[in-house]
Amino acid sequence: MTTVYLSLHALYLSKDCLRPLCYQLLKHCLELQMTSATVFHAVRTLQRQIILRVRGANEDAIAPTATMSGAFDESASLEENTDSFWEVGNYKRTVKRIDDGHRLCNDLMNCIQERAKIEKAYSQQLTEWSKRWRQLVDKGPQYGTVERAWMSLMMEAEKVSDLHHEVKNSLMSEDFEKVKNWQKESYHKQMMGGFKETKEADEGFKKAQKPWAKKLKELEAAKKSYHMACKEEKLASTREANGKSESSVTADQLKKLHEKVDKCKLDSQKAKDKYEKALDELNKCTPQYMENMEQVFEQSQQFEEKRLCFLREVLLDIKRHLNLTEDQSYASVYQEFERVITSASAQEDLQWFNNNHGPGMHMNWPHFEEYNPELTHSITKKEKSKKGNDSIMLTNVTSTVDRSQAGDQGSMSSYEKNEAHRASNEWSDEDQTAPNSASDTNGGANPFDEDSAGGVRVRALYDYEGQEQDELSFQAGDELTKLEEEDEQGWCKGRLDSGQLGLYPANYVEPI
């Protein structure tokens, strides 16, 4: 558009008779904000009017040019180079636009591909973050409805991760492939390089411009010859004038100088006639030249219009895939997220903690139990490390006859085991050989009296501090008696030299 305005402005300054026309056209373009195509048609109309006016002009219209024979200025032969589309070879920018369109398709595909990588990386990061924090929250101390609300944050991340993964798939499988296929269908590569569309446009412009370019070349040659003739005429006139002012110049010399001036004027007139003829011939073929060039340019415009419309369509598709706010599933993610958070209740969580870890817990309070000679309780060390058991678990209940076969004692804590032994022996009629040790250790009868004799001597390898009432404490180097073999939990029953009975870890001692 700027080129058109500059061309009109140049015409306005160069031709006095055309100033009203140029002024009206420039004003019309600015007021109506014409498109490029409209302006080109307007310029074409103006140029045709210029040609008609030049043809119909009388001899006075070219009088300034004729006066050049009397006063020629060398600077007049230097014309400003314009950047107009109509100049020879300036159509190359229009041809290059076709190659640029192919490159822009590649740039758009690279742009889509990089955005898809970002979407994929973001999806993976959300998934990894959700997995890590889900485990941390699950193993942490938070509980109840607030824990569920916290977990919903990770659920939101997982769902959003899936949506962004779908965005990545849409960008690559739909948008990327769409541009790739359109580019392949619109641009056809040649065996010798380049594209068929580029070659056709270039050949079309060359064919349309060739006749006019030939006439222009002839005009430039005639113009150059005319200007040189004017220069020679001026030089001859100057010499004649100088010869007349000098007394040393003879009459014959003045005659020769005068003849030279006449000859230069004749040559100048011939060059001028040839120049005007070349200009007239150029003006005659200009309308056809403009029409042919416009036809080829219009074909290029139509091709570019398809590319621009396609680009706009693809960008709208990309926007639709990236705009998750238009996806109903995306909105439902945050609706569910908000529902879970707002459903969290501090009072409900406090009540849950009260019932499961506070005064609301169930308790097997001590009560009177009748002696049953048919049953004895055999309790092991299983789940000794678990804290906060609410009740005593009794396993491997066997009859008195099978008591010697109750070797599996790995399902209860050592404290529970001791309590079970005490309950089974509390009303026994057997003699208690070590009442003090049992009473001192567990506050009741000794459950290990039956094993008080015999055993294997062992020596402690490390210090050990008993964690419960039925466990022994000793220092490295102390000797004690092992009364029973190691159970499946790694504990042995033994007796210190002081007479205290209890359990100790088997790997803390070695045989003597």
Side-chain angles (χ1 to χ4, degrees), residues 315-333:
L315 292 175
L316 285 174
D317 290 340
I318 295 174
K319 173 260 179 186
R320 177 170 53 85
H321 292 145
L322 293 177
N323 189 7
L324 294 178
T325 57
E326 296 181 356
D327 192 336
Q328 184 59 36
S329 58
Y330 184 78
S332 63
V333 169

Side-chain angles (χ1 to χ4, degrees), residues 416-451:
E416 295 165 348
K417 178 178 177 181
N418 190 27
E419 290 297 314
H421 274 286
R422 186 182 65 175
S424 64
N425 295 325
E426 185 176 358
W427 300 99
S428 176
D429 294 334
E430 297 177 2
D431 295 335
Q432 307 297 323
T433 59
N436 293 334
S437 64
S439 177
D440 293 341
T441 304
N442 301 312
N446 183 7
F448 305 112
D449 284 344
E450 59 188 30
D451 299 315

Side-chain angles (χ1 to χ4, degrees), residues 201-214:
D202 186 68
E203 291 178 348
F205 281 120
K206 282 183 179 178
K207 183 178 179 181
Q209 197 173 70
K210 186 176 180 179
W212 190 85
K214 184 179 179 180

